[in-house]
Amino acid sequence: MLDPLLEQIPQQIERYHVVAISMGSMLASHWAHLDSNKVASLTLINPSFARYSPIQERFNLRAVPKLLSARLRGRDSFEKAILDVTFPDHVINPSILAYHLA
């Protein structure tokens, strides 16, 4: 999984900075471990390392019933429920969401 990504990095680049988010953080940390001479820095945004933090710190358990019932109502309902859980400010200020979706 990592090889296709590494093949895209130009040969003349000797060291690089890696920024990863969420599940990509796990892959990036593995990458930095395997190729530590080339990774100049590693920035992890919202990493989810199950081994180091309990599920209640990584997942909003109170949101599960809402997400499950929304899933049963169809795709649009499910996507809106995910948005409500992950970005509740979209209701208060829809221009923020519109800006990021543009």
Side-chain angles (χ1 to χ4, degrees), residues 78-88 90 97:
F78 187 51
E79 288 181 3
K80 183 182 180 317
I82 290 172
L83 188 58
D84 290 345
V85 169
T86 59
F87 183 59
H90 80 93
L97 181 60

Side-chain angles (χ1 to χ4, degrees), residues 5-16 38:
L5 177 66
L6 294 174
E7 290 170 5
Q8 296 179 41
I9 299 174
Q11 294 295 322
Q12 67 269 24
I13 296 179
E14 294 178 17
R15 289 177 54 82
Y16 35 82
K38 291 192 172 202

